[in-house]
Amino acid sequence: LKELDGLHLHREEHIEEDTTFTETATSIHGWWEDASISASAHLFYASAISFYLHDIGRLRANAGEIVRTVSALIQSAGLPKDYGLPALPKGLAAKLRQKDELVAVRTETVRERWDVL
């Protein structure tokens, strides 16, 4: 603490929060309809699947378990189950199907890819 003495730091005794959790959750409801946030979610979905697929041996998981885990992550952020999951790039979908032919993922169209970008 002596090293920080010259920074003129002080402790705030009471920090008042601006919003409650409920207010925050309500304010982001429907994030999947916002183009920029939805695009970010699509990239997260593909990136997370790719990340876990890369470590599939170490994780002792199969392709289906990876897809279900990442799907649960994105749905836990509020994505409705009936909305559907983001489509994956063709290359990533092909890698998943190499690991498990029966894994159910949707491959994105060229139009969907451009919409995300």
Side-chain angles (χ1 to χ4, degrees):
L1 291 175
K2 289 181 181 183
E3 293 175 14
L4 301 176
D5 193 34
L7 296 177
H8 306 288
L9 300 176
H10 65 280
R11 177 179 291 203
E12 292 187 27
E13 295 301 322
H14 179 67
I15 299 173
E16 189 173 319
E17 294 182 19
D18 292 332
T19 59
T20 65
F21 174 76
T22 306
E23 291 171 345
T24 303
T26 303
S27 70
I28 63 170
H29 179 74
W31 62 260
W32 54 90
E33 294 171 357
D34 181 278
S36 60
I37 298 173
S38 180
S40 186
H42 282 234
L43 293 173
F44 166 79
Y45 184 70
S47 297
I49 287 177
S50 179
F51 174 79
Y52 289 121
L53 188 61
H54 179 64
D55 285 339
I56 198 167
R58 186 178 61 81
L59 297 172
R60 297 185 200 147
N62 62 43
E65 291 169 335
I66 289 171
V67 171
R68 283 191 297 278
T69 300
V70 176
S71 299
L73 279 171
I74 202 165
Q75 287 170 341
S76 74
L79 183 71
K81 289 187 179 193
D82 61 341
Y83 188 76
L85 295 168
L88 295 175
K90 289 181 182 182
L92 180 55
K95 287 179 184 178
L96 278 169
R97 290 188 182 116
Q98 282 177 347
K99 302 288 184 182
D100 182 355
E101 302 174 345
L102 302 177
V103 70
V105 292
R106 190 169 61 89
T107 305
E108 64 189 6
T109 63
V110 172
R111 172 64 191 205
E112 287 175 313
R113 187 70 182 151
W114 280 105
D115 286 348
V116 169
L117 296 175

